[in-house]
């Protein structure tokens, strides 16, 4: 490992001061960053450890929205009654994250900052219409999560910015969610493909709202808006899911890698999305 300086700020003003000097890299849980540092694939002159900044670790709600501090871990997500009510899709994805260690140390902010196309929290956050509040020495700004994720391991964060928190509008109680993940094995695994879905069904048994997001099959996790629109006004049944799958598969660009071939990813995505839509629809029906 290359040598680097290490800073451990305990509040936001200290952190912003450190971010004003170039060359620093944020360290949260370290579950992505430390392996990359060990393999010397990153050039870092200073690590800024945010794990003692308690004001970045919270999950709360107001009348309209839910807020997740970037330092919240998957374990925090699993314990949150606010998220079990308003974001069961994120809770489900967090439960499937690799290992008890990764769930305890890994953070939502780190999953976004790492910007892997296979990051498991990202499709759920996309179907929740999440945006990210960023902060840096020059002030703050808000970006849609889709705008923040720009490519494999790339974000629109400026070098002196951090993700402060994520937020999303509270979904109506009648919205159902589904999440499906395929990995090479059950535990300790990075996804081969993921699918997240959200569905609302009206009293005429027709789909009135839909959200679809896919992971690990394009340079970033993606929303599939054409597929969502196709579902509106249709009955929630297999024929509708097949149409949505056909439209969604046109948007993906999977690659061959050590975990799977592009062809396998494409086939798996169809199955995962159909299952996610069916689960979301069942949940929506139970809430009517
Ligand atoms: C055994 C194991 C199993 C795993 N299983 C999964 C899995 O199933 N699914 C999955 O998606 N991932 C998995 N991972 C990867 C990892 O745990 C997650 O991506 C995790 O969310 C990373 O969070 P972290 O806090 O550890 O990030 P870190 O490693 O600390 O940081 C990751 C990147 O994000 C940046 N960053 C961190 N916080 C911020 C912030 N607030 N603002 C701006 N940038 C920031 C860092 O600078 C760095 O570039 C696994 C890792 C391990 C070691």
């Amino acid at each position: 490992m290359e040598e680097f300086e290490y800073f451990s700020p305990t509040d936001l003003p200290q952190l912003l001061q450190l971010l004003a000097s170039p060359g620093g890299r944020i360290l949260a849980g370290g579950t992505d960053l430390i392996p990359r540092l060990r393999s010397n694939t990153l050039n870092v002159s200073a690590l800024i450890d945010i794990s003692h900044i308690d004001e970045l670790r919270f999950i709360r709600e107001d009348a309209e929205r839910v807020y997740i501090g970037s330092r919240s871990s998957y374990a925090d997500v699993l314990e949150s009654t606010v998220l079990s009510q308003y974001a069961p899709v994120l809770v489900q994805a967090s439960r499937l994250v690799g290992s008890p260690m990764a769930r305890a140390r890994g953070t939502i902010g780190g999953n976004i900052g790492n910007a892997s196309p296979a990051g498991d929290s990202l499709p759920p956050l996309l179907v929740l219409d999440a945006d990210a509040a960023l902060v840096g020495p020059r002030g703050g700004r808000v970006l849609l999560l889709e705008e923040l994720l720009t490519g494999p391991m790339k974000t629109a964060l400026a070098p002196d910015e951090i993700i402060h928190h994520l937020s999303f509008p509270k979904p109506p109680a009648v919205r159902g969610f589904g999440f499906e993940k395929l990995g090479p094995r059950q535990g300790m695994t990075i996804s081969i493909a993921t699918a997240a879905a959200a569905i609302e069904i009206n009293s005429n048994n027709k789909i009135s709202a839909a959200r679809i997001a896919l992971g690990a099959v394009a340079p970033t996790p993606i929303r599939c808006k054409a597929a969502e629109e196709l579902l509106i006004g249709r009955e929630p049944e297999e024929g509708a899911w097949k149409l949505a799958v056909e439209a969604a598969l046109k948007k993906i660009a999977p690659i061959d890698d050590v975990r799977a071939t592009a062809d396998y990813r494409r086939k798996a995505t169809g199955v995962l999305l159909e299952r996610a839509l069916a689960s979301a629809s069942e949940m929506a029906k139970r809430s009517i």
Side-chain angles (χ1 to χ4, degrees), residues 13-33:
Q14 283 177 29
L15 170 63
L16 295 182
Q17 213 173 352
L18 288 164
L19 286 170
S21 313
R25 183 95 183 199
I26 297 292
L27 172 73
T31 57
D32 277 317
L33 195 56

Side-chain angles (χ1 to χ4, degrees), residues 59-280:
I59 296 170
R60 55 175 175 251
E61 61 179 312
D62 62 19
E64 272 122 42
R65 296 182 74 84
V66 174
Y67 304 85
I68 306 175
S70 63
R71 238 199 82 210
S72 306
S73 67
Y74 299 102
D76 295 334
V77 170
L78 291 173
E79 278 171 18
S80 164
T81 49
V82 173
L83 293 179
S84 67
Q85 181 175 357
Y86 294 110
V89 64
L90 182 61
V91 174
Q92 200 182 342
S94 299
R95 194 170 292 123
L96 295 175
V97 163
S99 68
M101 179 283 286
R103 290 191 292 275
R105 286 215 56 91
T107 63
I108 299 294
N111 205 224
I112 298 169
N114 192 52
S116 162
D120 282 340
S121 74
L122 307 176
L125 287 166
L126 287 175
V127 298
L128 288 163
D129 297 319
D131 55 35
L134 313 181
V135 65
R138 292 165 294 131
R141 60 181 177 139
V142 176
L143 288 186
L144 286 175
L145 185 56
E146 284 157 283
E147 296 167 336
L148 181 57
L149 301 167
T150 53
M153 324 312 268
K154 288 197 187 114
T155 68
L157 279 168
D160 62 354
E161 276 182 320
I162 65 145
I163 304 159
H164 186 277
H165 66 265
L166 289 307
S167 92
F168 57 87
K170 285 182 171 175
V174 292
R175 190 170 296 174
F177 292 98
F179 177 77
E180 296 286 330
K181 161 174 174 167
L182 177 70
R185 53 184 186 270
Q186 282 301 308
M188 304 282 282
T189 193
I190 303 297
S191 297
I192 287 173
T194 53
I199 292 280
E200 278 172 49
I201 300 167
N202 64 22
S203 52
N204 298 324
N205 194 35
K206 296 277 163 53
I207 297 167
S208 55
R211 304 272 189 282
I212 292 172
L214 301 173
V217 286
T220 65
I222 48 166
R223 266 286 286 276
C224 302
K225 291 190 181 160
E228 294 169 4
E229 279 160 24
L230 268 177
L231 288 173
I232 306 299
R234 293 183 192 275
E235 288 195 7
E237 45 78 36
E238 202 183 325
W241 312 147
K242 298 243 181 276
L243 277 177
V245 164
E246 199 183 317
L249 293 185
K250 287 190 185 137
K251 259 210 91 175
I252 67 174
I255 56 164
D256 294 326
D257 69 11
V258 286
R259 283 189 288 279
T261 63
D263 188 45
Y264 181 66
R265 281 200 159 91
R266 181 170 286 282
K267 288 187 179 121
T269 298
V271 175
L272 296 178
L273 178 54
E274 197 171 330
R275 285 185 193 161
L277 286 164
S279 311

Side-chain angles (χ1 to χ4, degrees), residues 1-2 4 30 32-42:
M1 225 193 261
E2 297 279 320
F4 49 78
D32 277 317
L33 195 56
I34 299 294
R36 288 183 76 192
L37 286 172
R38 280 188 200 284
S39 61
N40 281 328
T41 54
L42 275 182

